[in-house]
Amino acid sequence: MRVLPPAARVFLLATACAALACVVPALPALARGDVPLLPVVLLAGLYLGCELVRLCPLPEGRSGRPGRSARSDPAPEGSGSFLPVLLAAVFLLPPAAAALVAVPGGLAGPVVQRPAGVRRMWHAAQQAGAAWAAAHAFALLRGPAALGGAGRAWVADFPYLLLPAAVAAAVFCLVLTALDGGILVAAERRPAARAWRGLLARSLAPHAVHALAGLMMAVLWHSPYGPPAALLVLLPMYLSCWIFAQYHRERAAHQATIRALVQAVDIKDRYTRGHSERVGQASAMIARELGMDGDRLEVVRIAGILHDVGKLGVPTRLLRKDGPLTPQERKVIELHPEYGHEMVRGIGFLGEARSAILHHHERIDGSGYPYGLSGDQIPVPARVVAVADAFDAMTSTRSYSRARPVPTALAELQRCAGSHFDPVMVGALVRAIGRDGWHPVVTSDADLQVIPAAEGTGALPGMPAQGGEAGSRAQAAGGAGAAGGGA
């Protein structure tokens, strides 16, 4: 808890207290017999079991070694919870009892990032509150009566039953996404509009599928065949969730590939250690300001991280040389975008990021390299990365130049907008830093600058052009000094 900002701690504790208030009324109701104990225990145990099974090694090992699986890691956190059982509880139980069913599974779910205990408490509180709200919505629309059972003949009232079930699923999804966005605002200080942007749209379809499976479970639970029939729904749904988890594992493997390439560049060029991650961060800030999100935003971020991967093909002595570069040495360094493009050309998941790696040293006026593209001929991700690259190069110390203040670097970018850089991308970075500040995710440089929000737009006059070695090295290797050669 101590690592969280105060606002995030308050938000998390408030969510936990609200969830506790939802759950507590179920305990005396169970003790009095107002709520049947068996369905609560069975559903809570099923939900807990489903979450625990997700932590077990997966079958189908590919390592070629007996008893060992190449993919034996637990389901990643991003793959979400297995919710059909919880939504079946929403349809079958009173609100407080449905909230109680969520607690054991929420506390046991897989967690990748630390602090694990805090994250598990958050998941349990989040799901308990969402289950309570969804069960209330289901009851308000006479869902329990439409479901059948409770002394009446087993005939579910179709198609009316679909209405309260759909509303309950929407409420469940809405509560989860509202809480997710709230914790992003509190913990990461994201603007509210951006924290919630796209969350509901991305979550609604998966929750609708989980709700449909949960409704099938609830209907079969009330059938003459009872709870054993309801369990038949779980197998196909679990297989679907397993496939979804495989997709997330593949994405994790992609991230590991990117990290390995970046670490190799950092080891080879010690003067720019941490540069790749910071360019990725600045590229994402620009892309977000331009309204990109989802896969498009991720492509731009990856392009920023991998833009200098071609330096692996440049002799180390040139990257670490303290003296002036000869024209021939400069030409060798200027090959790094093409080296990088060749290195990643066969990595399919990079998509448009490959074009940014190849073209991030092109200039709007056509004077860049390797192909002298101009204006709209330069791919959008490359134009974004060019601005992010120059910004970080100017604000961090290199072997050939000292770091400039962030406001000075922004002023220099603005001065070179229209010739070296796309003015739209420069304006997006200036606005983003002015509003959110500059908080680098990697702090390898001793004098790395952290700029709070509202301090990043101080317009200072542009510095004179860097001459000599600083300008020539910047031109060749993506270094500082937009005016002296640009990124």
Side-chain angles (χ1 to χ4, degrees):
M1 286 286 284
R2 294 180 196 172
V3 299
L4 295 174
R9 278 181 251 165
V10 171
F11 189 82
L12 194 151
L13 288 173
T15 304
C17 290
L20 192 62
C22 295
V23 167
V24 165
L27 302 178
L30 286 169
R32 292 192 305 266
D34 296 340
V35 175
L37 180 62
L38 184 60
V40 175
V41 172
L42 282 177
L43 289 168
L46 269 176
Y47 186 46
L48 174 61
C50 289
E51 293 300 304
L52 290 176
V53 169
R54 293 173 69 240
L55 295 171
C56 294
L58 291 172
E60 198 181 325
R62 298 189 199 172
S63 62
R65 289 155 63 178
R68 182 121 181 187
S69 172
R71 296 194 177 192
S72 61
D73 51 325
E77 191 175 2
S79 61
S81 296
F82 187 70
L83 298 176
V85 176
L86 181 54
L87 285 162
V90 166
F91 302 139
L92 289 167
L93 298 173
L100 180 60
V101 167
V103 174
L107 290 174
V111 172
V112 176
Q113 298 178 354
R114 297 181 179 179
V118 173
R119 287 178 179 273
R120 286 196 169 97
M121 182 181 75
W122 167 253
H123 291 161
Q126 195 183 24
Q127 292 174 15
W132 181 88
H136 266 292
F138 188 70
L140 284 172
L141 292 173
R142 298 186 300 106
L147 188 59
R152 53 172 290 185
W154 177 71
V155 179
D157 187 3
F158 282 106
Y160 175 77
L161 179 60
L162 296 175
L163 173 62
V167 172
V171 169
F172 187 88
C173 180
L174 188 61
V175 172
L176 287 182
T177 53
L179 292 173
D180 276 335
I183 200 66
L184 289 176
V185 171
E188 299 183 11
R189 300 190 181 96
R190 292 192 196 179
R194 289 211 175 98
W196 277 288
R197 180 188 295 168
L199 269 180
L200 185 60
R202 290 193 300 269
S203 303
L204 204 51
H207 282 93
V209 173
H210 284 297
L212 185 59
L215 183 61
M216 291 169 63
M217 280 189 68
V219 170
L220 289 172
W221 191 288
H222 275 314
S223 76
Y225 306 103
L231 297 180
L232 296 176
V233 178
L234 290 181
L235 182 59
M237 272 304 295
Y238 196 84
L239 288 175
S240 299
C241 288
W242 182 83
I243 294 169
F244 188 56
Q246 291 290 80
Y247 163 75
H248 278 277
R249 285 187 179 84
E250 189 162 334
R251 284 182 64 93
H254 294 168
Q255 296 298 327
T257 301
I258 293 168
R259 282 196 301 272
L261 290 170
V262 170
Q263 286 170 358
V265 174
D266 284 350
I267 290 170
K268 183 161 187 172
D269 188 2
R270 63 174 180 265
Y271 290 116
T272 59
R273 191 162 296 167
H275 170 67
S276 299
E277 287 91 341
R278 295 194 297 271
V279 173
Q281 181 185 3
S283 297
M285 291 176 71
I286 296 171
R288 208 174 282 118
E289 187 68 26
L290 295 174
M292 299 182 194
D293 56 17
D295 291 341
R296 179 77 164 169
L297 175 62
E298 183 65 7
V299 163
V300 172
R301 188 185 72 84
I302 290 174
I305 291 173
L306 291 181
H307 74 286
D308 271 346
V309 70
K311 286 184 177 179
L312 292 173
V314 176
T316 305
R317 62 179 179 81
L318 297 185
L319 296 175
R320 298 186 178 183
K321 185 175 179 180
D322 290 327
L325 291 173
T326 66
Q328 186 60 34
E329 288 171 337
R330 239 180 353 260
K331 287 181 181 178
V332 172
I333 291 183
E334 286 179 0
L335 291 173
H336 80 272
E338 293 174 279
Y339 289 158
H341 184 259
E342 284 300 310
M343 290 173 62
V344 303
R345 188 166 60 176
I347 304 179
F349 73 85
L350 291 179
E352 278 188 294
R354 295 192 294 267
S355 67
I357 292 169
L358 179 61
H359 296 297
H360 70 278
H361 280 297
E362 306 284 5
R363 291 181 176 175
I364 291 297
D365 62 6
S367 63
Y369 64 89
Y371 299 129
L373 302 183
S374 63
D376 291 340
Q377 292 177 322
I378 305 171
V380 171
R383 283 181 263 161
V384 172
V385 172
V387 172
D389 185 24
F391 170 74
D392 183 71
M394 285 190 283
T395 54
S396 55
T397 295
R398 303 292 182 89
S399 62
Y400 45 81
S401 66
R402 296 295 300 170
R404 296 184 181 188
V406 167
T408 305
L410 294 176
E412 182 72 1
L413 289 172
Q414 289 174 311
R415 191 180 72 80
C416 296
S419 57
H420 293 16
F421 308 113
D422 187 332
V424 175
M425 310 305 172
V426 172
L429 181 63
V430 171
R431 290 193 303 274
I433 291 179
R435 183 185 58 251
D436 302 331
W438 174 237
H439 306 275
V441 292
V442 177
T443 56
S444 298
D445 295 330
D447 61 348
L448 204 61
Q449 302 168 67
V450 177
I451 305 297
E455 292 185 18
T457 54
L460 299 180
M463 297 291 288
Q466 290 184 344
E469 173 57 16
S472 62
R473 185 75 66 89
Q475 165 74 13

mmCIF file of all heavy atoms in Angstrom, residues 407-442:
data_model
loop_
_atom_site.group_PDB
_atom_site.id
_atom_site.type_symbol
_atom_site.label_atom_id
_atom_site.label_comp_id
_atom_site.label_asym_id
_atom_site.label_seq_id
_atom_site.Cartn_x
_atom_site.Cartn_y
_atom_site.Cartn_z
ATOM 1 N N PRO A 407 11.805 22.716 -21.245
ATOM 2 C CA PRO A 407 11.178 23.808 -22.004
ATOM 3 C C PRO A 407 12.010 24.252 -23.200
ATOM 4 O O PRO A 407 11.461 24.596 -24.249
ATOM 5 C CB PRO A 407 11.047 24.931 -20.960
ATOM 6 C CG PRO A 407 11.040 24.227 -19.646
ATOM 7 C CD PRO A 407 11.965 23.070 -19.819
ATOM 8 N N THR A 408 13.329 24.233 -23.060
ATOM 9 C CA THR A 408 14.190 24.617 -24.171
ATOM 10 C C THR A 408 14.091 23.612 -25.308
ATOM 11 O O THR A 408 14.049 23.979 -26.491
ATOM 12 C CB THR A 408 15.657 24.722 -23.698
ATOM 13 O OG1 THR A 408 15.726 25.625 -22.603
ATOM 14 C CG2 THR A 408 16.559 25.207 -24.816
ATOM 15 N N ALA A 409 14.058 22.325 -24.959
ATOM 16 C CA ALA A 409 13.927 21.287 -25.985
ATOM 17 C C ALA A 409 12.598 21.423 -26.727
ATOM 18 O O ALA A 409 12.540 21.288 -27.959
ATOM 19 C CB ALA A 409 14.046 19.910 -25.343
ATOM 20 N N LEU A 410 11.517 21.704 -26.009
ATOM 21 C CA LEU A 410 10.220 21.883 -26.656
ATOM 22 C C LEU A 410 10.223 23.101 -27.576
ATOM 23 O O LEU A 410 9.660 23.063 -28.676
ATOM 24 C CB LEU A 410 9.119 22.015 -25.604
ATOM 25 C CG LEU A 410 8.845 20.766 -24.754
ATOM 26 C CD1 LEU A 410 7.790 21.066 -23.692
ATOM 27 C CD2 LEU A 410 8.399 19.594 -25.620
ATOM 28 N N ALA A 411 10.862 24.170 -27.115
ATOM 29 C CA ALA A 411 10.955 25.366 -27.955
ATOM 30 C C ALA A 411 11.754 25.078 -29.220
ATOM 31 O O ALA A 411 11.428 25.572 -30.310
ATOM 32 C CB ALA A 411 11.595 26.509 -27.160
ATOM 33 N N GLU A 412 12.805 24.279 -29.103
ATOM 34 C CA GLU A 412 13.610 23.924 -30.265
ATOM 35 C C GLU A 412 12.814 23.066 -31.240
ATOM 36 O O GLU A 412 12.899 23.241 -32.456
ATOM 37 C CB GLU A 412 14.866 23.182 -29.800
ATOM 38 C CG GLU A 412 15.827 22.794 -30.907
ATOM 39 C CD GLU A 412 16.587 23.974 -31.499
ATOM 40 O OE1 GLU A 412 16.400 25.119 -31.039
ATOM 41 O OE2 GLU A 412 17.355 23.742 -32.440
ATOM 42 N N LEU A 413 12.023 22.142 -30.721
ATOM 43 C CA LEU A 413 11.165 21.334 -31.590
ATOM 44 C C LEU A 413 10.166 22.218 -32.337
ATOM 45 O O LEU A 413 9.915 22.020 -33.536
ATOM 46 C CB LEU A 413 10.419 20.281 -30.769
ATOM 47 C CG LEU A 413 11.243 19.116 -30.203
ATOM 48 C CD1 LEU A 413 10.385 18.274 -29.265
ATOM 49 C CD2 LEU A 413 11.814 18.250 -31.314
ATOM 50 N N GLN A 414 9.592 23.180 -31.630
ATOM 51 C CA GLN A 414 8.649 24.088 -32.271
ATOM 52 C C GLN A 414 9.329 24.914 -33.353
ATOM 53 O O GLN A 414 8.740 25.200 -34.400
ATOM 54 C CB GLN A 414 8.004 24.997 -31.221
ATOM 55 C CG GLN A 414 7.027 24.262 -30.306
ATOM 56 C CD GLN A 414 6.506 25.145 -29.195
ATOM 57 O OE1 GLN A 414 7.275 25.812 -28.505
ATOM 58 N NE2 GLN A 414 5.199 25.163 -29.012
ATOM 59 N N ARG A 415 10.579 25.313 -33.098
ATOM 60 C CA ARG A 415 11.307 26.112 -34.084
ATOM 61 C C ARG A 415 11.570 25.324 -35.362
ATOM 62 O O ARG A 415 11.557 25.869 -36.466
ATOM 63 C CB ARG A 415 12.640 26.582 -33.485
ATOM 64 C CG ARG A 415 13.371 27.635 -34.317
ATOM 65 C CD ARG A 415 14.669 28.047 -33.662
ATOM 66 N NE ARG A 415 15.677 27.007 -33.755
ATOM 67 C CZ ARG A 415 16.421 26.783 -34.841
ATOM 68 N NH1 ARG A 415 16.233 27.496 -35.925
ATOM 69 N NH2 ARG A 415 17.325 25.833 -34.843
ATOM 70 N N CYS A 416 11.776 24.011 -35.198
ATOM 71 C CA CYS A 416 12.102 23.164 -36.355
ATOM 72 C C CYS A 416 10.872 22.475 -36.937
ATOM 73 O O CYS A 416 11.002 21.681 -37.871
ATOM 74 C CB CYS A 416 13.140 22.122 -35.953
ATOM 75 S SG CYS A 416 14.723 22.828 -35.458
ATOM 76 N N ALA A 417 9.691 22.747 -36.380
ATOM 77 C CA ALA A 417 8.469 22.159 -36.922
ATOM 78 C C ALA A 417 8.223 22.724 -38.321
ATOM 79 O O ALA A 417 8.362 23.920 -38.564
ATOM 80 C CB ALA A 417 7.292 22.474 -36.008
ATOM 81 N N GLY A 418 7.863 21.860 -39.238
ATOM 82 C CA GLY A 418 7.635 22.270 -40.610
ATOM 83 C C GLY A 418 8.826 22.045 -41.508
ATOM 84 O O GLY A 418 8.679 21.978 -42.726
ATOM 85 N N SER A 419 10.016 21.967 -40.919
ATOM 86 C CA SER A 419 11.210 21.657 -41.714
ATOM 87 C C SER A 419 11.724 20.271 -41.342
ATOM 88 O O SER A 419 11.758 19.351 -42.151
ATOM 89 C CB SER A 419 12.289 22.715 -41.490
ATOM 90 O OG SER A 419 12.622 22.819 -40.103
ATOM 91 N N HIS A 420 12.124 20.091 -40.078
ATOM 92 C CA HIS A 420 12.587 18.779 -39.620
ATOM 93 C C HIS A 420 11.420 17.888 -39.210
ATOM 94 O O HIS A 420 11.404 16.696 -39.504
ATOM 95 C CB HIS A 420 13.518 18.926 -38.411
ATOM 96 C CG HIS A 420 14.820 19.585 -38.712
ATOM 97 N ND1 HIS A 420 15.038 20.293 -39.856
ATOM 98 C CD2 HIS A 420 15.984 19.656 -38.002
ATOM 99 C CE1 HIS A 420 16.270 20.773 -39.850
ATOM 100 N NE2 HIS A 420 16.860 20.394 -38.741
ATOM 101 N N PHE A 421 10.444 18.436 -38.497
ATOM 102 C CA PHE A 421 9.415 17.639 -37.828
ATOM 103 C C PHE A 421 8.021 18.040 -38.279
ATOM 104 O O PHE A 421 7.782 19.174 -38.698
ATOM 105 C CB PHE A 421 9.524 17.801 -36.310
ATOM 106 C CG PHE A 421 10.900 17.560 -35.772
ATOM 107 C CD1 PHE A 421 11.647 18.594 -35.220
ATOM 108 C CD2 PHE A 421 11.470 16.303 -35.830
ATOM 109 C CE1 PHE A 421 12.921 18.380 -34.738
ATOM 110 C CE2 PHE A 421 12.747 16.069 -35.346
ATOM 111 C CZ PHE A 421 13.473 17.115 -34.806
ATOM 112 N N ASP A 422 7.094 17.103 -38.136
ATOM 113 C CA ASP A 422 5.685 17.360 -38.421
ATOM 114 C C ASP A 422 5.123 18.275 -37.329
ATOM 115 O O ASP A 422 5.154 17.922 -36.146
ATOM 116 C CB ASP A 422 4.927 16.025 -38.432
ATOM 117 C CG ASP A 422 3.484 16.176 -38.877
ATOM 118 O OD1 ASP A 422 2.903 17.256 -38.679
ATOM 119 O OD2 ASP A 422 2.940 15.202 -39.423
ATOM 120 N N PRO A 423 4.600 19.461 -37.697
ATOM 121 C CA PRO A 423 4.077 20.388 -36.668
ATOM 122 C C PRO A 423 2.962 19.778 -35.829
ATOM 123 O O PRO A 423 2.825 20.117 -34.649
ATOM 124 C CB PRO A 423 3.557 21.567 -37.503
ATOM 125 C CG PRO A 423 4.262 21.474 -38.810
ATOM 126 C CD PRO A 423 4.509 20.016 -39.055
ATOM 127 N N VAL A 424 2.162 18.880 -36.399
ATOM 128 C CA VAL A 424 1.071 18.250 -35.641
ATOM 129 C C VAL A 424 1.641 17.412 -34.509
ATOM 130 O O VAL A 424 1.144 17.447 -33.370
ATOM 131 C CB VAL A 424 0.197 17.393 -36.575
ATOM 132 C CG1 VAL A 424 -0.854 16.637 -35.769
ATOM 133 C CG2 VAL A 424 -0.467 18.258 -37.630
ATOM 134 N N MET A 425 2.698 16.654 -34.772
ATOM 135 C CA MET A 425 3.308 15.800 -33.751
ATOM 136 C C MET A 425 4.001 16.640 -32.681
ATOM 137 O O MET A 425 3.921 16.333 -31.488
ATOM 138 C CB MET A 425 4.321 14.837 -34.386
ATOM 139 C CG MET A 425 3.800 14.078 -35.582
ATOM 140 S SD MET A 425 2.267 13.167 -35.215
ATOM 141 C CE MET A 425 1.816 12.606 -36.857
ATOM 142 N N VAL A 426 4.659 17.711 -33.100
ATOM 143 C CA VAL A 426 5.314 18.590 -32.132
ATOM 144 C C VAL A 426 4.269 19.225 -31.216
ATOM 145 O O VAL A 426 4.420 19.254 -29.993
ATOM 146 C CB VAL A 426 6.135 19.684 -32.852
ATOM 147 C CG1 VAL A 426 6.655 20.708 -31.850
ATOM 148 C CG2 VAL A 426 7.295 19.057 -33.613
ATOM 149 N N GLY A 427 3.185 19.738 -31.804
ATOM 150 C CA GLY A 427 2.139 20.344 -30.992
ATOM 151 C C GLY A 427 1.532 19.370 -30.007
ATOM 152 O O GLY A 427 1.224 19.720 -28.865
ATOM 153 N N ALA A 428 1.365 18.103 -30.445
ATOM 154 C CA ALA A 428 0.798 17.087 -29.543
ATOM 155 C C ALA A 428 1.716 16.848 -28.352
ATOM 156 O O ALA A 428 1.248 16.730 -27.208
ATOM 157 C CB ALA A 428 0.563 15.787 -30.311
ATOM 158 N N LEU A 429 3.027 16.779 -28.581
ATOM 159 C CA LEU A 429 3.958 16.555 -27.470
ATOM 160 C C LEU A 429 3.974 17.752 -26.522
ATOM 161 O O LEU A 429 3.981 17.585 -25.293
ATOM 162 C CB LEU A 429 5.368 16.293 -27.999
ATOM 163 C CG LEU A 429 6.429 16.020 -26.930
ATOM 164 C CD1 LEU A 429 6.101 14.742 -26.155
ATOM 165 C CD2 LEU A 429 7.823 15.917 -27.548
ATOM 166 N N VAL A 430 3.960 18.954 -27.065
ATOM 167 C CA VAL A 430 3.962 20.157 -26.221
ATOM 168 C C VAL A 430 2.717 20.183 -25.342
ATOM 169 O O VAL A 430 2.787 20.451 -24.132
ATOM 170 C CB VAL A 430 4.054 21.424 -27.093
ATOM 171 C CG1 VAL A 430 3.829 22.678 -26.253
ATOM 172 C CG2 VAL A 430 5.423 21.498 -27.786
ATOM 173 N N ARG A 431 1.566 19.881 -25.917
ATOM 174 C CA ARG A 431 0.321 19.895 -25.129
ATOM 175 C C ARG A 431 0.332 18.808 -24.061
ATOM 176 O O ARG A 431 -0.089 19.025 -22.926
ATOM 177 C CB ARG A 431 -0.887 19.712 -26.051
ATOM 178 C CG ARG A 431 -1.177 20.886 -26.953
ATOM 179 C CD ARG A 431 -2.565 20.764 -27.587
ATOM 180 N NE ARG A 431 -2.725 19.524 -28.349
ATOM 181 C CZ ARG A 431 -2.375 19.360 -29.619
ATOM 182 N NH1 ARG A 431 -1.818 20.376 -30.281
ATOM 183 N NH2 ARG A 431 -2.576 18.217 -30.240
ATOM 184 N N ALA A 432 0.800 17.607 -24.440
ATOM 185 C CA ALA A 432 0.794 16.487 -23.495
ATOM 186 C C ALA A 432 1.706 16.763 -22.308
ATOM 187 O O ALA A 432 1.340 16.513 -21.150
ATOM 188 C CB ALA A 432 1.217 15.200 -24.206
ATOM 189 N N ILE A 433 2.904 17.271 -22.565
ATOM 190 C CA ILE A 433 3.829 17.557 -21.463
ATOM 191 C C ILE A 433 3.331 18.745 -20.648
ATOM 192 O O ILE A 433 3.468 18.771 -19.421
ATOM 193 C CB ILE A 433 5.251 17.802 -22.014
ATOM 194 C CG1 ILE A 433 5.809 16.492 -22.573
ATOM 195 C CG2 ILE A 433 6.173 18.351 -20.931
ATOM 196 C CD1 ILE A 433 7.189 16.600 -23.165
ATOM 197 N N GLY A 434 2.737 19.724 -21.314
ATOM 198 C CA GLY A 434 2.195 20.862 -20.570
ATOM 199 C C GLY A 434 1.094 20.470 -19.610
ATOM 200 O O GLY A 434 0.973 21.036 -18.519
ATOM 201 N N ARG A 435 0.306 19.483 -19.994
ATOM 202 C CA ARG A 435 -0.802 19.055 -19.137
ATOM 203 C C ARG A 435 -0.381 17.998 -18.117
ATOM 204 O O ARG A 435 -0.724 18.075 -16.951
ATOM 205 C CB ARG A 435 -1.941 18.512 -20.004
ATOM 206 C CG ARG A 435 -3.175 18.104 -19.210
ATOM 207 C CD ARG A 435 -4.227 17.463 -20.092
ATOM 208 N NE ARG A 435 -3.686 16.298 -20.774
ATOM 209 C CZ ARG A 435 -3.425 16.257 -22.088
ATOM 210 N NH1 ARG A 435 -3.660 17.317 -22.843
ATOM 211 N NH2 ARG A 435 -2.926 15.160 -22.641
ATOM 212 N N ASP A 436 0.371 16.987 -18.577
ATOM 213 C CA ASP A 436 0.692 15.837 -17.729
ATOM 214 C C ASP A 436 2.092 15.872 -17.153
ATOM 215 O O ASP A 436 2.413 15.085 -16.259
ATOM 216 C CB ASP A 436 0.526 14.532 -18.523
ATOM 217 C CG ASP A 436 -0.878 14.371 -19.088
ATOM 218 O OD1 ASP A 436 -1.821 14.900 -18.456
ATOM 219 O OD2 ASP A 436 -1.034 13.733 -20.142
ATOM 220 N N GLY A 437 2.952 16.746 -17.656
ATOM 221 C CA GLY A 437 4.344 16.763 -17.221
ATOM 222 C C GLY A 437 5.154 15.690 -17.912
ATOM 223 O O GLY A 437 4.646 14.923 -18.733
ATOM 224 N N TRP A 438 6.440 15.623 -17.601
ATOM 225 C CA TRP A 438 7.338 14.619 -18.171
ATOM 226 C C TRP A 438 7.906 13.812 -17.015
ATOM 227 O O TRP A 438 8.691 14.302 -16.220
ATOM 228 C CB TRP A 438 8.439 15.295 -18.973
ATOM 229 C CG TRP A 438 9.503 14.373 -19.501
ATOM 230 C CD1 TRP A 438 10.834 14.455 -19.261
ATOM 231 C CD2 TRP A 438 9.334 13.249 -20.386
ATOM 232 N NE1 TRP A 438 11.514 13.454 -19.925
ATOM 233 C CE2 TRP A 438 10.614 12.688 -20.627
ATOM 234 C CE3 TRP A 438 8.216 12.646 -20.979
ATOM 235 C CZ2 TRP A 438 10.807 11.569 -21.432
ATOM 236 C CZ3 TRP A 438 8.419 11.526 -21.790
ATOM 237 C CH2 TRP A 438 9.696 11.009 -22.017
ATOM 238 N N HIS A 439 7.473 12.557 -16.921
ATOM 239 C CA HIS A 439 7.894 11.650 -15.852
ATOM 240 C C HIS A 439 8.506 10.422 -16.498
ATOM 241 O O HIS A 439 7.807 9.430 -16.745
ATOM 242 C CB HIS A 439 6.709 11.255 -14.976
ATOM 243 C CG HIS A 439 5.957 12.423 -14.418
ATOM 244 N ND1 HIS A 439 6.328 13.069 -13.266
ATOM 245 C CD2 HIS A 439 4.852 13.084 -14.880
ATOM 246 C CE1 HIS A 439 5.489 14.061 -13.022
ATOM 247 N NE2 HIS A 439 4.586 14.094 -13.992
ATOM 248 N N PRO A 440 9.797 10.454 -16.827
ATOM 249 C CA PRO A 440 10.407 9.328 -17.555
ATOM 250 C C PRO A 440 10.269 8.023 -16.788
ATOM 251 O O PRO A 440 10.454 7.978 -15.571
ATOM 252 C CB PRO A 440 11.875 9.743 -17.687
ATOM 253 C CG PRO A 440 11.876 11.231 -17.492
ATOM 254 C CD PRO A 440 10.761 11.526 -16.557
ATOM 255 N N VAL A 441 9.968 6.957 -17.521
ATOM 256 C CA VAL A 441 9.797 5.646 -16.880
ATOM 257 C C VAL A 441 11.134 4.995 -16.570
ATOM 258 O O VAL A 441 11.208 4.084 -15.770
ATOM 259 C CB VAL A 441 8.962 4.709 -17.778
ATOM 260 C CG1 VAL A 441 7.548 5.189 -17.878
ATOM 261 C CG2 VAL A 441 9.588 4.588 -19.168
ATOM 262 N N VAL A 442 12.205 5.410 -17.229
ATOM 263 C CA VAL A 442 13.537 4.858 -17.004
ATOM 264 C C VAL A 442 14.446 5.984 -16.550
ATOM 265 O O VAL A 442 14.434 7.072 -17.099
ATOM 266 C CB VAL A 442 14.100 4.225 -18.297
ATOM 267 C CG1 VAL A 442 15.514 3.726 -18.075
ATOM 268 C CG2 VAL A 442 13.208 3.087 -18.746
#
